[in-house]
Coordinates of all heavy atoms in Angstrom, one line a residue:
N702 N 10.5 7.7 -8.5 CA 11.8 8.5 -8.5 C 12.6 8.0 -7.2 O 13.8 8.1 -7.3 CB 11.6 10.0 -8.4 CG 11.1 10.5 -9.7 OD1 11.1 9.9 -10.7 ND2 10.6 11.8 -9.6
V703 N 12.0 7.6 -6.2 CA 12.7 7.3 -5.0 C 12.6 5.8 -4.7 O 13.1 5.3 -3.6 CB 12.3 8.0 -3.7 CG1 12.6 9.5 -3.9 CG2 10.8 7.8 -3.4
D704 N 12.1 5.0 -5.6 CA 12.0 3.5 -5.4 C 13.3 2.8 -5.4 O 14.0 2.8 -6.4 CB 11.1 2.9 -6.5 CG 10.7 1.5 -6.2 OD1 11.3 0.9 -5.3 OD2 9.8 1.0 -6.8
T705 N 13.7 2.4 -4.2 CA 15.0 1.8 -4.0 C 15.1 0.4 -4.7 O 16.2 -0.2 -4.8 CB 15.5 1.7 -2.6 OG1 14.5 0.9 -1.8 CG2 15.6 3.1 -1.9
R706 N 14.0 -0.2 -5.1 CA 14.0 -1.5 -5.7 C 14.3 -1.4 -7.1 O 14.5 -2.5 -7.8 CB 12.6 -2.2 -5.5 CG 12.2 -2.4 -4.1 CD 10.8 -2.9 -3.9 NE 9.9 -1.8 -4.5 CZ 8.7 -2.1 -4.9 NH1 8.2 -3.3 -5.0 NH2 8.0 -1.1 -5.4
R707 N 14.4 -0.3 -7.7 CA 14.8 -0.1 -9.1 C 16.2 0.3 -9.2 O 16.7 1.0 -8.3 CB 13.9 0.9 -9.8 CG 12.4 0.5 -9.7 CD 11.6 1.6 -10.3 NE 10.2 1.3 -10.1 CZ 9.3 1.2 -11.1 NH1 9.7 1.4 -12.3 NH2 8.1 0.8 -10.9
P708 N 16.8 0.0 -10.3 CA 18.2 0.5 -10.5 C 18.4 2.0 -10.5 O 17.5 2.7 -10.9 CB 18.7 -0.1 -11.9 CG 17.5 -0.7 -12.4 CD 16.3 -0.7 -11.4
S709 N 19.5 2.5 -10.0 CA 19.7 3.9 -9.9 C 20.0 4.4 -11.3 O 20.5 3.8 -12.1 CB 20.9 4.2 -9.0 OG 20.7 3.8 -7.7
H710 N 19.7 5.7 -11.5 CA 19.9 6.4 -12.7 C 21.0 7.5 -12.4 O 21.1 8.0 -11.3 CB 18.7 7.0 -13.3 CG 17.7 6.0 -13.7 ND1 17.7 5.6 -15.0 CD2 16.8 5.3 -13.1 CE1 16.7 4.6 -15.1 NE2 16.2 4.4 -14.0
P711 N 21.8 7.8 -13.4 CA 22.8 8.8 -13.3 C 22.2 10.1 -12.7 O 21.1 10.5 -13.1 CB 23.3 9.1 -14.7 CG 22.9 7.9 -15.5 CD 21.7 7.3 -14.8
H712 N 22.9 10.8 -11.9 CA 22.5 12.1 -11.3 C 21.2 12.0 -10.5 O 20.5 13.0 -10.3 CB 22.4 13.2 -12.4 CG 23.6 13.2 -13.3 ND1 24.8 13.5 -12.9 CD2 23.7 12.9 -14.6 CE1 25.7 13.4 -13.9 NE2 25.0 13.0 -14.9
G713 N 20.8 10.8 -10.1 CA 19.6 10.7 -9.3 C 18.3 10.9 -10.1 O 17.3 11.0 -9.6
R714 N 18.4 10.9 -11.4 CA 17.2 11.2 -12.3 C 16.8 9.9 -12.9 O 17.6 9.1 -13.3 CB 17.4 12.3 -13.2 CG 17.8 13.6 -12.6 CD 18.1 14.7 -13.6 NE 18.6 15.8 -12.9 CZ 17.9 17.0 -12.9 NH1 16.8 17.1 -13.6 NH2 18.5 17.9 -12.2
R715 N 15.5 9.8 -13.2 CA 14.9 8.7 -13.9 C 14.1 9.1 -15.0 O 12.9 9.0 -15.1 CB 14.0 7.9 -12.9 CG 14.8 7.4 -11.7 CD 13.8 6.8 -10.7 NE 14.4 6.6 -9.4 CZ 15.0 5.4 -9.1 NH1 14.9 4.4 -9.9 NH2 15.5 5.3 -7.9
H716 N 14.8 9.6 -16.1 CA 14.1 10.1 -17.3 C 13.4 8.9 -17.9 O 13.9 7.9 -18.1 CB 15.1 10.7 -18.2 CG 15.8 11.9 -17.7 ND1 15.2 13.1 -17.5 CD2 17.1 12.1 -17.2 CE1 16.0 14.0 -17.0 NE2 17.2 13.4 -16.8
G717 N 12.1 9.2 -18.2 CA 11.3 8.2 -18.9 C 10.9 7.1 -18.0 O 10.4 6.0 -18.5
A718 N 11.1 7.2 -16.7 CA 10.7 6.1 -15.8 C 9.2 5.9 -15.8 O 8.5 6.9 -15.9 CB 11.2 6.4 -14.4
V719 N 8.8 4.7 -15.8 CA 7.4 4.4 -15.8 C 7.0 4.4 -14.3 O 7.6 3.9 -13.4 CB 7.2 3.0 -16.3 CG1 5.7 2.6 -16.2 CG2 7.6 2.9 -17.7
A720 N 5.9 5.1 -14.0 CA 5.3 5.2 -12.7 C 4.9 3.8 -12.2 O 4.3 3.1 -13.0 CB 4.2 6.2 -12.7
P721 N 5.0 3.6 -10.9 CA 4.5 2.3 -10.4 C 3.1 2.2 -10.5 O 2.4 3.2 -10.5 CB 5.1 2.3 -9.0 CG 5.3 3.7 -8.6 CD 5.6 4.4 -9.9
S722 N 2.6 1.0 -10.5 CA 1.1 0.8 -10.6 C 0.5 1.3 -9.3 O 1.1 1.5 -8.3 CB 0.8 -0.7 -10.7 OG 1.1 -1.4 -9.6
R723 N -0.9 1.4 -9.4 CA -1.6 1.9 -8.2 C -1.5 0.9 -7.1 O -1.5 1.3 -5.9 CB -3.1 1.9 -8.6 CG -3.5 3.1 -9.4 CD -4.9 3.1 -9.8 NE -5.8 2.6 -8.8 CZ -6.9 1.8 -9.1 NH1 -7.2 1.5 -10.3 NH2 -7.6 1.4 -8.1
R724 N -1.3 -0.4 -7.4 CA -1.2 -1.4 -6.4 C 0.1 -1.2 -5.5 O 0.2 -1.7 -4.4 CB -1.2 -2.8 -7.0 CG -2.5 -3.1 -7.7 CD -2.4 -4.5 -8.2 NE -1.4 -4.7 -9.2 CZ -1.0 -5.9 -9.6 NH1 -1.6 -6.9 -9.2 NH2 -0.1 -6.0 -10.5
A725 N 1.1 -0.6 -6.1 CA 2.4 -0.5 -5.3 C 2.4 0.7 -4.4 O 3.4 1.3 -4.3 CB 3.6 -0.5 -6.3
G726 N 1.3 1.0 -3.8 CA 1.2 2.2 -3.0 C 1.8 2.0 -1.6 O 2.0 3.0 -0.9
H727 N 2.2 0.8 -1.2 CA 2.8 0.6 0.1 C 4.2 0.1 -0.1 O 4.4 -0.7 -1.0 CB 1.9 -0.3 0.9 CG 0.6 0.3 1.3 ND1 0.5 1.0 2.4 CD2 -0.5 0.3 0.7 CE1 -0.7 1.4 2.5 NE2 -1.4 1.0 1.4
V728 N 5.0 0.5 0.8 CA 6.4 -0.1 0.8 C 6.6 -0.9 2.1 O 5.7 -0.8 2.9 CB 7.4 1.0 0.6 CG1 7.3 1.7 -0.7 CG2 7.3 2.0 1.8
D729 N 7.7 -1.6 2.1 CA 7.9 -2.4 3.3 C 8.0 -1.4 4.5 O 8.2 -0.2 4.4 CB 9.2 -3.2 3.2 CG 9.1 -4.4 4.1 OD1 8.1 -4.8 4.5 OD2 10.2 -4.9 4.4
G730 N 7.8 -2.0 5.7 CA 7.8 -1.2 6.9 C 6.4 -1.0 7.4 O 6.1 -0.3 8.3
V731 N 5.4 -1.7 6.8 CA 4.1 -1.7 7.3 C 4.0 -2.4 8.6 O 4.8 -3.2 9.0 CB 3.1 -2.4 6.3 CG1 3.0 -1.7 5.0 CG2 3.5 -3.8 6.1
D732 N 2.9 -2.0 9.4 CA 2.7 -2.7 10.7 C 2.2 -4.0 10.3 O 1.4 -4.2 9.5 CB 1.7 -1.9 11.5 CG 2.3 -0.6 12.0 OD1 3.5 -0.5 12.1 OD2 1.5 0.2 12.5

Side-chain angles (χ1 to χ4, degrees):
N702 289 345
V703 296
D704 190 345
T705 58
R706 295 172 301 154
R707 296 177 188 236
S709 298
H710 290 268
H712 311 296
R714 297 175 190 249
R715 299 171 192 266
H716 296 290
V719 177
S722 70
R723 288 177 32 217
R724 296 185 296 170
H727 291 271
V728 295
D729 202 23
V731 293
D732 286 343

